[in-house]
Each structure stands twice: as structure tokens, then as C-alpha cells.
Amino acid sequence: MNSTQRQGKAIVIGGSMAGLLAGRVLADYYEEVLIIDKDEFPGQQPEDRLGVPHGFHPHRFTNRGKEITEKLFPGYEEELVALGSPSSLNKTAHMMSQYGTVSNPYPRNDIKFSRAALEWVIRGRVKQIPQIRLLPKHDVLQLVTTSDRTAITGVQIKERGASGRESELAADLVVDASGRASKLTQWLTDLGYEVRQEDKMKAAIGYSTRRYRVPAHMAHLPEEWDVINIMGQPANGTFTGVFSFIENQVAEMVLYRPGGQYPPTNADEFEQAVAQLPSPIIAEILKELEPVTPPRGFRVPELYRRHYELMERWPAGLLVLGDAICIYDPIFGQGITVAAIEADMLSACLQEQRRNPQSGFEQSVLRKMQDEAITPAWWLNCAADLQWEGVEYEAGGEPLKGIAFARRFMDLMLKEGTGNHNFQLFGMYWAVNTLSVPLRELFNPQMVTMALEASDEGRLLLAELLEEHGLPLAEALEEIMPC
């Protein structure tokens, strides 16, 4: 879009990945885009920020998230490589579950990074866009509205620090991308809007991460390994352990579990817990590495999905995306990918709105994001985490559909794919869980039949599904699919 087609001003609340992606999209449609964040951004090199308390822990794009980010910021991975980030191409990805092990060369040239390095690169790109301005060290206090409160016209902000100056900023569109710290539900309530109850998964997730330096005599390790993933076993209550590399010959090791049994943050106890994983492969490697940080823990008491798209009234000029709508189990690496998908959808919706303006545009965008991005990821999270003792679900709206079938079906996919080395099913299992392919590419009659006919257990599950619904398979699957 050329500059003559850009109109008005947009404000993005939050300068983390979701906000940066949104800002990049909005720069194609607005003459001015202001990204406001409460933190001071790192000035000399990548650093973790207080406003991203989970930033120290492992992050990744799935393939779909990477493709969207490459479209928005062409060549961004080259800058990560310049910061010392390694490639995954042809390095061994070792995946172990209770059903066996699959260990193969990784087929794509994906670049591994820390959250700090990724934000540094993307923020640097955003700063180069003439329409965008960053405003750090400011809190957004509330939304500013028209007198009848039917439209958002800007935000009230307060400068952090000694001055504490307050001011109002006008905007044609405000996008809340402030993540888990979002105050949007309270702001809307204060303005007289009735906010729908959110869905909650009381997952009591804990993960602990430690970083290690790869010494010179072990310099071959990052050239050999992409990732070692020892998956947790719900039946036995074991931790998941994932070992991988980030930039500059640094390895990271994370222990994870839902259900309230948290991995340790004491260094000795952390190393003991790694040694107690079902395979000794990671513990043997760690003996040769040099710890550079103590283990750091992060706790997620519950996951939530907010239903702004179902509200009877929604103010014009307001959108929300990223963790401000929904947070996911971090072990699946879906969060920044979903944010990228939402940003991509926002671009398509803005383009259509400019071409064919419609009333209720903002809530139609929220519905599209919910249906096509949020719901599939949420459904998969629930299917995985509800296997664990201590995890409970609290529906704010309608109960989850088909989750019992999904849980058993996905487990059978993993069992057949790993135990019998059915790489078609193994690949589809991970492609769906990483949002690289839509749910319907897996939950269709052909794929479900192929997967379930592979074992007696699968044939029994298929018969139960058909008997329960009393419908042909295609119609039974329509009944249980979330979208």
C-alpha cells in the first residue's frame, strides 16, 4: 500500500512480539503507528525484559509462524544468524515418548534463538519503518471514548519515573497486545460493557530452565543435535525434558509438567531431576557442559480463553490479539505462532475493510481470529493437558466438544507413529500440534480411518465414536470438531 492510501493513527498497547507484529501490519494501513510499552527497551544488545517474565525460557516459531514472520520481515533469520543463532537443518531431532523413540535429521533450515534475540531483531526492523514510533516507559491507564462510549478514540497514559506525567493520545484504532498483563476486561467493564466469562484450564503448569555454555572440546554438539525431547508421561507423572541450543554456543534445558507438581529451581535438585528422566541421554550431555545460570522457574496457574467476539456490544476502534485474548501451554510453542497468524488475519481483514467497508468490523476480526487461530490451538492444548492428574477445565461458554475423543485419538497417533515408526502419522501428529496444518487435515474421514484402522485399540475407538453419535463418520466428526 502506498502512502496516499494510509489514513489516520493507530496505537498498539504492548511492545513484545504480538505488539511488534501488529505494528508492522498496521504500518501498511495507517499514517502513524505508536507502540506503547511499560519497559525500557534494551539499547546495546539483546536482553530479557521485566515485562516478559517468561522470556528467559525456550521460545520458537512453528513453521507457519516462521513463514508469516518472514513475509512481514524478509530475511529476519539472517540477522539472528549474525547474532550467533544456529540452524536446525540436518541436525538430529530426538523425540522419545512412552511408546518409543524417533530420531531423524531435521529437514528444515529453522534458526534457533532466545526470546531476547528474536525481539531484538524484530524490534530493530520495526524501528526502521517510518510510520512507526516506539514509546517505552509508559503505562496505559485507560481507554478514551466518545461521550456515548460506543467508540474508542485513544488512550490515557502515564510516564514511568519521577515525573509521572499523564496525557491523552488520540487514535483511530487501538490494539491491545499487552499480553497476560492486559487490563482490557476491567476497562470494558468500567465503560459499562458486559464481558463474557472466560474459559479456564486450571493446569498448574510449572517449568524450570537452565542455560549452559558449550565448552571448546564439545563444540561439535550444536553441529550434531537440534533437539532432544523426552516427553512427559501422564500415566507415570514424569517431567518432560527438552534440550536444545540458542545463540553463541549456549544450550538450554527445560523441565516441565502440568498438574501442580513443579520442577525444581534448586541447581542440585534440577540436575537430579534431569538424571531421573526416562532416558539418560540429556543428563550425560549436561555433565560435559558449563552451567551459566541457575535454574529459573515460571508458573502458569491457569490458561484462559477470553470471548470478546461473543459480547453483545463491542466498541468501534478497538481490537485485541495475542496473550491478551488467550494463553497456551508453553511446551507446545504455539503462543508467538498464534500471534503471527492473528497479525496475518488482521492484515487481510484491514485490506478487505478498505475495499468494502462494513459496520462491526472490529468484532468480525475477533470472530475470525477465534474461529481460525485461537480455537484450534486451545482445543489441542486441552486434549493434551487434561490427560494429567490435577488439571481441571472450567467452561465460560459452551463445554468443550469432542475432547475425550481427541485425547485418545492423538495418543493413538503418537503411539502408532512412534512405536511402529509410521512416519506419516508421526509427521501429521506434530504438524497439527504445531499449527502447521489445520485440524481438518487430520480430523477428516480418510485420515481418521487410516490412523484408527492401524491397531485393535484404534478400531475400538472408531466403533465407539460411530456408536455414540449414530452417524456416518464424516457427520460424527462434524459433531465433535471445535470449528
Side-chain angles (χ1 to χ4, degrees), residues 292-461:
V292 292
T293 69
R296 298 185 191 175
F298 192 72
R299 308 291 180 253
V300 186
E302 61 187 26
L303 308 177
Y304 57 76
R305 176 173 62 159
R306 294 173 176 148
H307 286 288
Y308 296 126
E309 83 286 355
L310 297 178
M311 288 170 53
E312 291 185 8
R313 296 189 305 124
W314 181 262
L318 177 66
L319 284 171
V320 53
L321 53 75
D323 285 359
I325 304 180
C326 186
I327 60 172
Y328 310 93
D329 187 329
I331 201 67
F332 301 114
Q334 295 171 334
I336 54 177
T337 286
V338 172
I341 295 171
E342 291 168 352
D344 198 40
M345 289 180 177
L346 174 60
S347 180
C349 291
L350 284 168
Q351 189 174 40
E352 177 60 26
Q353 180 70 0
R354 290 288 167 90
R355 187 165 49 239
N356 182 27
Q358 300 288 327
S359 61
F361 161 74
E362 292 86 353
Q363 209 163 13
S364 70
V365 175
L366 295 177
R367 282 192 291 270
K368 184 177 179 65
M369 289 179 179
Q370 186 71 245
D371 290 345
E372 299 182 26
I374 297 167
T375 295
W378 179 258
W379 195 68
L380 289 165
N381 271 225
C382 293
D385 284 355
L386 286 169
Q387 300 178 78
W388 291 86
E389 183 179 355
V391 178
E392 300 176 356
Y393 190 78
E394 183 180 301
E398 295 183 359
L400 283 170
K401 296 194 306 180
I403 207 69
F405 172 80
R407 185 169 62 241
R408 292 175 62 190
F409 177 68
M410 295 299 285
D411 191 61
L412 282 170
M413 288 271 293
L414 180 63
K415 184 176 183 179
E416 180 66 20
T418 305
N420 292 327
H421 285 192
N422 184 326
F423 293 119
Q424 182 179 5
L425 293 183
F426 185 80
M428 181 60 76
Y429 174 90
W430 286 107
V432 168
N433 270 303
T434 58
L435 310 179
S436 297
V437 302
L439 279 177
R440 291 189 179 274
E441 288 197 22
L442 174 57
F443 287 89
N444 63 67
Q446 294 77 21
M447 184 60 71
V448 167
T449 299
M450 183 189 76
L452 294 184
E453 289 287 353
S455 66
D456 291 341
E457 190 177 358
R459 285 187 285 272
L460 177 61
L461 178 58

Side-chain angles (χ1 to χ4, degrees), residues 232-271:
Q233 301 176 14
N236 300 320
T238 62
F239 291 128
T240 290
V242 183
F243 173 85
S244 60
F245 296 92
I246 54 174
E247 59 271 10
N248 299 319
Q249 297 292 99
V250 172
E252 58 184 7
M253 174 67 205
V254 61
L255 291 172
Y256 151 94
R257 223 209 88 156
Q261 295 187 26
Y262 301 129
T265 54
N266 172 273
D268 290 338
E269 294 173 359
F270 182 88
E271 300 296 333

Side-chain angles (χ1 to χ4, degrees), residues 36-273:
I36 305 171
D37 197 90
K38 58 188 177 182
D39 279 350
E40 177 67 274
F41 297 123
Q44 302 299 321
Q45 62 185 9
E47 294 177 5
D48 293 318
R49 296 190 292 118
L50 291 177
V52 189
H54 54 300
F56 176 80
H57 303 278
H59 282 76
R60 65 169 180 171
F61 275 125
T62 70
N63 194 45
R64 188 173 180 195
K66 171 184 171 176
E67 288 174 353
I68 294 170
T69 305
E70 176 64 27
K71 180 171 68 174
L72 295 174
F73 302 100
Y76 81 96
E77 285 190 316
E78 296 172 12
E79 295 181 46
L80 287 169
V81 171
L83 288 173
S85 294
S87 166
S88 295
L89 182 63
N90 291 329
K91 297 172 184 177
T92 299
H94 183 94
M95 317 292 285
M96 178 184 175
S97 71
Q98 64 266 41
Y99 303 121
T101 299
V102 173
S103 191
N104 286 320
Y106 190 80
R108 295 193 304 272
N109 184 27
D110 291 345
I111 305 303
K112 309 294 281 293
F113 48 78
S114 64
R115 171 68 177 256
L118 178 65
E119 280 198 10
W120 174 267
V121 167
I122 299 302
R123 191 185 309 114
R125 288 293 192 93
V126 165
K127 286 179 177 178
Q128 296 173 14
I129 300 172
Q131 296 84 254
I132 298 180
R133 181 166 65 94
L134 302 183
L135 183 63
K137 298 178 65 176
H138 281 75
D139 292 308
V140 177
L141 302 179
Q142 62 184 15
L143 301 171
V144 179
T145 72
T146 54
S147 58
D148 61 5
R149 299 184 173 183
T150 60
I152 304 303
T153 59
V155 296
Q156 182 180 358
I157 63 171
K158 181 178 180 179
E159 185 177 1
R160 288 193 160 197
S163 73
R165 285 190 297 267
E166 295 187 15
S167 58
E168 287 188 6
L169 299 173
D172 300 282
L173 178 68
V174 173
V175 178
D176 181 10
S178 58
R180 301 164 197 234
S182 171
K183 298 180 177 63
L184 186 58
T185 293
Q186 187 60 54
W187 289 340
L188 290 169
T189 301
D190 291 345
L191 291 172
Y193 287 86
E194 186 176 348
V195 180
R196 294 285 295 261
Q197 186 177 352
E198 62 192 18
D199 298 326
K200 294 180 181 178
M201 185 154 57
K202 297 180 179 180
I205 294 167
Y207 53 112
S208 297
T209 302
R210 194 176 197 188
R211 291 182 180 173
Y212 303 78
R213 179 76 58 194
V214 179
H217 73 278
M218 299 293 288
H220 60 280
L221 276 179
E223 300 303 316
E224 295 177 1
W225 292 100
D226 170 41
V227 63
I228 302 173
N229 184 346
I230 301 175
M231 298 173 65
Q233 301 176 14
N236 300 320
T238 62
F239 291 128
T240 290
V242 183
F243 173 85
S244 60
F245 296 92
I246 54 174
E247 59 271 10
N248 299 319
Q249 297 292 99
V250 172
E252 58 184 7
M253 174 67 205
V254 61
L255 291 172
Y256 151 94
R257 223 209 88 156
Q261 295 187 26
Y262 301 129
T265 54
N266 172 273
D268 290 338
E269 294 173 359
F270 182 88
E271 300 296 333
Q272 290 170 12

